[in-house]
Structure formats: structure tokens, C-alpha cells
Amino acid sequence: MDLNFLVVVGTLVMLALGGGVVWFVILYQRRVIQSQIEIERINREKQQELLNASIQSEEQERMRIAAELHDDIAPTLASVKLYLSTAALKMTDTPLIAQSKALLDESLQKIRNIAHKLQPSTLYYLGLDVSLQALADMIGQSDSIHAAYAAHNKLPRLPENIELSLYRVVQELTHNILKHAHPQLLTIESTTVPGQVTLVVSHNGTGITQHLFEELIYKKGAIGLKNIVTRLKSIEASIYFEQVSVSLFTITIQAPIK
Amino acid sequence: MAGFLIDLTLSFVLKPLQLNRSWIANLYFLVEFICISLYLRPRARGTANLYYDLFWLATAMLYTGLTVHVSIYQTNTLGASMLHLVFIAYGIWGLYSILKDLNKLFLDQSEFFWACVAFMLYFSGNFMLLLFIAYLKQGQAALWIYIHCGLNIGYRALLALSLSRKKP
């Protein structure tokens, strides 16, 4: 055999062997990384499932307490009120009874409000649009604040978990705003485009920026903000805090609709 | 850089002056071996570091002894072949350590990966040439030049690629 040919073939074979080793390393590494990515994906799915399960159980517990309040305690108090009315006809000390009835009325109203907050029936039956309107109306009942809701286009009915999470987040945000920001004006706006729903809560109080929000969620306490993050994570939504001008703060929530 | 300087010396100083070039080739193999051994040294951790140092020092001494024994003015092909086998083993070891670490998501971004590829390919190909060097030097210089230069260019290109991936 020609020795020149042998040299060329031998060199090529050696190169191929070297290249083969390199190729094996590349393929093996890729396979291992793919399996790692798959494991991470499964872990993420499991975490999402756990998150959803914890939110679901929390909601069920809220519903149970709301039902107890609405169906058990409220009728009992209503019966007491009725007895007091009957007693008032037979007794002479009516101012005391009238005062008791007023306190009972107040308690009944409070129980109804708590039950409504725990289980917003409008959300289940009429959707997010009506519920946000009702929330704004409820906030606006106070004399110290003007609250309004504006829908740029009518929100369609969304999957139950998305509607509930968005409602709870807006509820928590408005609660925090009223408690800490002390605004005179609060507005909730909603917009939908195909595949996405956007909610904007704006107010003229002392708000926070995204930077401060990110600092707060890693601090001890701030359970409300942490709940917001958890709920938004469960529906893969995002939140952004912004100071638009000296006296205008906005919070934008964007949620994908699948 | 050492390779580049030696190639320049061989081609533009020693060859035109018709001087013996084997001693510089012998020296080049030794310097290259020491450089690559030191480059791979951080990969040997813990007690392996000591064995690694012993190994490459012993190999370098063995090569030097062989060269002196045969004659420094004659290319030490046996020693060079031995070093080439060690270089191939270094390449395999380097690639194995990359697989073991698994902290590099993108291999093409790794400076060490490209260096190992360069060692694997160049020394595998060149090893075969060294086995036939006696035959190639006797009237088959063109074949030797074509294959060796091709491998050399590829080797330097891969090393340059590795250098370009080095993080500051």
C-alpha cells in the first residue's frame, strides 16, 4: 500500500477519533443539561401546583367563614332584633331597647360587610367588572375619599382563578392605599387586549415605587404584599409600582389570559 | 506566542542560514509541554495537585534525558511522540473535567473547552505524522508541510478562539 496514502488516512483517522471524543462530550453535556432543565421544569410545575392548592384552600376557608357569618350568626342577630322589637312593645324603658337595636343593626351591617369581603358573591355571579365597580363604590362611601372605577372596554368573563386573584390583589392594594397612603382620590381602571388584561390602580396619596416594593417584599412582615406576589405568581401576572408625578402614583397589573 | 516566535526563528533565521534546527524543535516541544501542563494545573485539585506536579515534572525530565541521550541536534521523535500521547491524555482529561463540573451551560462560551478541543485535534493528527516523520522527511516534504501546516493553522485558530472566550 502507498505509504503516503497510509499517512493521510492515518492522520484523518486520528483526527476523527479526537473529533469523536469532542463530539461525545458535546452530546453528553447537552443531554445532561436537557435532563436538568426537565427536572427544573417539573419542580416549577410542582411549586405552581402547591401554590394553587394553598390559595384554593385559603379561599375555601374564607368561603366557609363567610357562610357561617352570613347564614348562622346574621340570622341569629336578626332574631334577637325581632325579640327586642317585641319586648319594646311591652316595656317602658324604650331608649335602652332602641340603643340595643341600633347596635344590633350596626353589628349586622358589619357582619354582612365582612361576609362580602370574604366571599364576593358578585365576582362569582357577575364577574370582575361588576365586582371592581362594587369595590370602588364601597370605598367611595367614605366622605374622605372619592373612588371610581373605569373600564376602557368591557371585561369579558375570565377563568375563575384569574378573576379571583385579580380581585383579591386589587382588594389588598386598595386596603393598603387607604391605610398607608391616605389619598383623596382613588381610581381603578381596566383594559383588555387579546391575550391580556391590565388593571391600573392610581391614587394621589403617599405611594411607593417599584424599588421600594421590591425592598418591602424581602423584609420581615409585609404579609399583604407577599400575598399579592403569591397570587400574581399563581396566574403568571406581573405588577409594577410607579410614581407618575409628584402627587400621582400608579400600580399596574398585567395578567395573561390563556 | 512561543510557537509563533519559534516558527519565525525556524523559517526566517535558521533555515536561510542553513543552521541545525532540530535543537530548537526539541526545545519547543519541552516549552510547549511545560506551558500546557501549567495551564491545566488549576484543574487538578487537592491531593491530585501533587501527583499532577510529580507527573509532569517527571515527564519533562524524561523527555530532556531522552533528548540529551540521543543528541540535542537531532529531533527527538520518540520523546515528541511520548509528549503527544500525554497531550492527548491532557485533552481527554480536560474534557472529562468539563463533564464532571457541569457548570457550563454553553460550551462554546468556555475558553477551557476550546483549548481542550485544540489539544485533542492537533496532537491526535500530529501524532500520526510524528510516527512517519522519518519517511516524510525523505523526499515527502510537501506532504509533511501540507498536513502539518494545516493542522498547525487549525490549532492556532482554535487557541485564538479559546483566548477570545477568556473572561477578563
Side-chain angles (χ1 to χ4, degrees), chain A residues 22-49:
Chain A
V22 173
W23 192 243
F24 168 78
V25 168
I26 294 170
L27 285 183
Y28 185 81
Q29 202 251 9
R30 200 173 287 175
R31 224 177 81 181
V32 170
I33 285 172
Q34 267 173 357
S35 65
Q36 274 182 343
I37 290 170
E38 183 67 12
I39 289 167
E40 271 172 30
R41 189 187 62 79
I42 292 167
N43 278 344
R44 234 183 359 254
E45 274 180 14
K46 287 277 166 212
Q47 275 181 352
Q48 190 71 33
E49 274 174 27

Side-chain angles (χ1 to χ4, degrees), chain B residues 111 113-122 151-165:
Chain B
E111 154 241 340
F113 171 74
W114 286 115
C116 289
V117 171
F119 300 151
M120 275 301 295
L121 295 181
Y122 174 72
L151 286 171
N152 227 345
I153 290 167
Y155 179 53
R156 310 284 177 218
L158 285 169
L159 285 182
L161 187 64
S162 162
L163 209 62
S164 73
R165 298 288 191 263

Side-chain angles (χ1 to χ4, degrees), chain B residues 16-168:
Chain B
L17 294 175
Q18 301 279 307
L19 293 172
N20 184 291
R21 289 175 288 154
S22 295
W23 68 272
I24 206 159
N26 287 337
L27 183 67
Y28 171 70
F29 282 133
L30 186 65
V31 170
E32 189 176 38
F33 176 70
I34 293 170
C35 287
I36 292 176
S37 297
L38 288 176
Y39 171 72
L40 293 168
R41 195 173 178 272
R43 289 267 153 180
R45 296 181 194 112
T47 49
N49 210 311
L50 177 71
Y51 294 122
Y52 179 78
D53 286 344
L54 284 175
F55 170 76
W56 75 263
L57 281 170
T59 311
M61 281 198 289
L62 183 65
Y63 174 78
T64 313
L66 269 172
T67 310
V68 173
H69 177 71
V70 175
S71 164
I72 55 165
Y73 296 108
Q74 194 181 321
T75 309
N76 180 6
T77 47
L78 178 68
S81 305
M82 179 188 78
L83 290 189
H84 273 58
L85 282 175
V86 174
F87 285 134
I88 294 168
Y90 274 176
I92 293 173
W93 177 55
L95 290 171
Y96 172 70
S97 74
I98 288 175
L99 281 186
K100 220 166 65 169
D101 273 4
L102 271 180
N103 56 359
K104 288 182 176 65
L105 260 182
F106 302 102
L107 280 180
D108 61 318
Q109 301 295 321
S110 161
E111 154 241 340
F112 187 67
F113 171 74
W114 286 115
C116 289
V117 171
F119 300 151
M120 275 301 295
L121 295 181
Y122 174 72
F123 292 112
S124 302
N126 219 30
F127 178 69
M128 206 62 189
L129 289 183
L130 274 178
L131 292 182
F132 289 95
I133 195 155
Y135 164 73
L136 290 169
K137 286 274 168 88
Q138 285 169 359
Q140 301 298 331
L143 186 64
W144 156 259
I145 287 168
Y146 286 141
I147 301 178
H148 181 69
C149 285
L151 286 171
N152 227 345
I153 290 167
Y155 179 53
R156 310 284 177 218
L158 285 169
L159 285 182
L161 187 64
S162 162
L163 209 62
S164 73
R165 298 288 191 263
K166 194 165 174 64
K167 289 185 182 90

